Amino acid sequence: MDAIKDIVKKVFTNISITTVGEQKKIDDVFIKVFEKNTIEAARISGLKERHLFVNVDSPARLYQANLKKQKILEDLQKEIPDIQKISFKIGKVT
């Protein structure tokens, strides 16, 4: 039987690999979709329970992103169907 420390190590290794791989795919798709929708200065701030959170740099950009929210979500879902919701807020994008 595996020791608890070995089990924990395996779990965290698997989570890390999956997370890094998924994060790279999400980042690549995000850049492509946002360029297509002419949204600049945006950055993913998190993903929780199929809900993508995105920071934008200004109130004007927030307004622009919210106007295109449905189209952006549809474009994201073509590549990553697991994303069910997207939210924008003003925050750090660098």
Side-chain angles (χ1 to χ4, degrees):
M1 182 172 226
D2 290 338
I4 291 178
K5 69 177 185 173
D6 294 332
I7 293 170
V8 170
K9 184 177 179 181
K10 287 178 187 177
V11 169
F12 280 111
T13 301
N14 290 339
I15 288 172
S16 297
I17 291 169
T18 303
T19 304
V20 170
E22 288 176 354
Q23 183 65 41
K24 176 69 175 143
K25 181 178 179 182
I26 291 170
D27 286 342
D28 292 345
V29 171
F30 175 81
I31 290 167
K32 183 171 70 172
V33 167
F34 274 68
E35 285 177 357
K36 176 181 174 183
N37 286 284
T38 63
I39 305 288
E40 299 171 5
R43 182 177 180 165
I44 296 172
S45 63
L47 177 63
K48 183 176 181 182
E49 297 175 5
R50 302 186 315 172
H51 186 159
L52 185 66
F53 297 92
V54 178
N55 286 348
V56 294
D57 66 341
S58 69
R61 193 114 35 220
L62 177 63
Y63 180 75
Q64 180 187 21
N66 279 320
L67 286 177
K68 297 181 177 189
K69 184 177 186 173
Q70 188 59 40
K71 176 71 170 123
I72 291 168
L73 181 59
E74 289 170 3
D75 289 346
L76 286 169
Q77 288 175 329
K78 287 177 187 174
E79 300 283 335
I80 308 168
D82 288 344
I83 296 176
Q84 297 298 314
K85 191 173 180 181
I86 188 169
S87 294
F88 301 99
K89 69 176 185 170
I90 299 170
K92 188 175 181 179
V93 296
T94 55

